[in-house]
Amino acid sequence: MLAPIASATAAPIVPPPSVMAAVPPLDGTVIYTEEDARTMADIEQHGRTKGRLRSVVPDSRIDVMPATLKREGWNLCALTFDDGPHRTVTRQILEVLNREGVRATYFPVGRVAQHQGDLIRDFVTSGHEIGNHSLTHSDLRVMPVEAQRYEVAETNRILRSFGANPVLFRPPYGRYSLSLLGVARNEQMNSVLWTVDTRDWKVRNADKIVEHIKTAAGTGSVFLMHSTYPSTAEALPRVIAELRAKGCEFVTLTQWLERMRELALPKIVNAGMPTPPAANAAPAARN
C-alpha cells in the first residue's frame, strides 16, 4: 500500500545545523570519488550473494532467488535514475522514456528539485514514479538522527508540493545505517538500492554503458542510472532496446517491489474451507 500523501502546504521544518552546512551538488551533478566507487562496487558484490529482493531492499525479511524468477518466467525490469534534476539532460531523459513508452523511477536531490518544480510535475504527469534521494546528497550515516530525519522529511515536503508521492528512499551513494533505515520506515518509506550499476557515472560514454547492459543485465534487474550525464541520455534508447530484446517488461520500482513480494510470500490456503470433490471421483460405496 502506498503511504498517504501529506499536505502539500506543510511548512518547512527548521533544519539542524549539520544540514544547513551541507551544500548540494551544482546543478544536481554528483562527482563520485574512488571511495564512492568502492562503496557502489561492494553493493553489487554483496547483492550477488542474495536474492533479488534483499539485493534491492536491504532490510527485507523475505527474498526471491533468480532461479525462482526463471522458473516463473518473471522478468520485470526497473529503470531508476538518481541525482539532479539537470535542467537539460534530465528533460532529455524524460522525453526518451515517454517516447519509448517506458515508466521509470526518478530519485532527485531535494534542494535541487525545489527550483525545478515544472520538471518534477512533468515526470508525475507522464506516469513516472518520484522517489526521495535526500535533501543535499550527503553521506547521511555521519549525521545525527534528527538531521537524517530532516533530510528525508524535507525532501518529501518539497516533492509533494509538486504533486509527487514519494514512498521510496534511496540513500546517497547507497550508504545506509540502521538508524537511517529506521528513519525511512518512520516516514512510511522503503529504502532501496539496485542490482545493476550501469556505471554511467564512471565511464561517461554511451557505447560503454550499452555494452555493460548487454553483459550485466539479469532476470528481473533494477538498473541504476543517473539523470545528469549527456552520455546517459544518449545511451538510453539503445539501453531500452537491448533490455527489450532480453525480454524485459518495464515497470516502476514500486510496481517491481509489489510484484516481487507477491512472488515471495507463500500462498495462504483457508484450511476452514471444504475441499471440492474431484470432477471424476467415483461415487461413495453404499452399505
Side-chain angles (χ1 to χ4, degrees), residues 12-40:
I13 312 166
V14 177
S18 55
V19 177
M20 292 183 67
V23 179
L26 182 64
D27 206 12
T29 303
V30 177
I31 305 300
Y32 292 88
T33 66
E34 286 300 318
E35 181 183 357
D36 301 332
R38 286 192 293 271
T39 296
M40 296 168 82

Side-chain angles (χ1 to χ4, degrees), residues 50 53-61 171 176 181 191-193:
K50 307 171 185 175
L53 189 52
R54 289 186 60 236
S55 296
V56 176
V57 183
D59 54 351
S60 175
R61 296 183 179 181
Y176 62 88
L181 295 179
S191 297
V192 292
L193 302 174

Side-chain angles (χ1 to χ4, degrees), residues 1-284:
M1 293 289 291
L2 297 179
I5 300 177
S7 171
T9 59
I13 312 166
V14 177
S18 55
V19 177
M20 292 183 67
V23 179
L26 182 64
D27 206 12
T29 303
V30 177
I31 305 300
Y32 292 88
T33 66
E34 286 300 318
E35 181 183 357
D36 301 332
R38 286 192 293 271
T39 296
M40 296 168 82
D42 286 345
I43 289 172
E44 274 197 303
Q45 182 178 353
H46 293 155
R48 294 188 189 104
T49 67
K50 307 171 185 175
R52 284 288 186 266
L53 189 52
R54 289 186 60 236
S55 296
V56 176
V57 183
D59 54 351
S60 175
R61 296 183 179 181
I62 55 177
D63 209 355
V64 180
M65 301 306 292
T68 301
L69 301 180
K70 290 180 180 178
R71 185 179 68 245
E72 297 287 333
W74 198 100
N75 199 19
L76 302 186
C77 298
L79 292 180
T80 69
F81 298 85
D82 285 7
D83 304 346
H86 185 285
R87 285 195 174 276
T88 57
V89 178
T90 307
R91 174 69 66 181
Q92 291 168 0
I93 287 172
L94 175 60
E95 291 170 354
V96 171
L97 293 171
N98 290 348
R99 185 171 66 245
E100 295 290 339
V102 171
R103 296 293 173 261
T105 301
Y106 176 38
F107 294 90
V109 178
R111 274 194 179 155
V112 182
Q114 68 182 346
H115 302 297
Q116 299 192 55
D118 57 338
L119 187 51
I120 301 301
R121 289 189 190 96
D122 288 346
F123 267 91
V124 174
T125 301
S126 299
H128 304 287
E129 178 177 31
I130 298 294
N132 182 321
H133 199 36
S134 82
L135 187 67
T136 63
H137 206 285
S138 304
D139 185 350
L140 304 190
R141 298 173 306 171
V142 303
M143 291 185 174
V145 172
E146 63 270 19
Q148 295 176 349
R149 186 173 298 111
Y150 179 82
E151 285 264 354
V152 176
E154 178 63 5
T155 300
N156 281 344
R157 186 195 67 81
I158 291 169
L159 296 176
R160 286 167 180 156
S161 73
F162 302 134
N165 182 29
V167 295
L168 301 178
F169 169 68
R170 176 169 281 166
Y173 312 101
R175 295 185 180 127
Y176 62 88
S177 60
L178 292 178
S179 66
L180 183 56
L181 295 179
V183 165
R185 282 195 300 271
N186 288 339
E187 291 292 321
Q188 297 183 301
M189 309 185 82
N190 285 310
S191 297
V192 292
L193 302 174
W194 54 86
T195 65
V196 177
D197 178 2
T198 64
R199 298 189 175 93
D200 59 342
W201 53 272
K202 181 178 182 180
V203 299
R204 309 285 186 95
N205 179 287
D207 292 336
K208 291 182 178 179
I209 294 169
V210 175
E211 192 61 34
H212 184 65
I213 286 287
K214 288 181 181 180
T215 58
T219 302
S221 296
V222 174
F223 298 92
L224 171 65
M225 306 183 82
H226 294 80
S227 78
T228 53
Y229 307 123
S231 51
T232 301
E234 180 186 347
L236 187 55
R238 284 186 285 160
V239 166
I240 292 171
E242 287 292 338
L243 293 176
R244 278 183 169 147
K246 289 177 176 288
C248 278
E249 176 188 345
F250 294 103
V251 293
T252 66
L253 186 47
T254 287
Q255 291 170 329
W256 187 95
L257 291 172
E258 289 173 348
R259 296 278 292 278
M260 185 70 76
R261 286 177 177 131
E262 288 174 3
L263 193 61
L265 292 172
K267 299 295 185 292
I268 300 174
V269 178
N270 189 339
M273 295 293 290
T275 303
N280 298 321

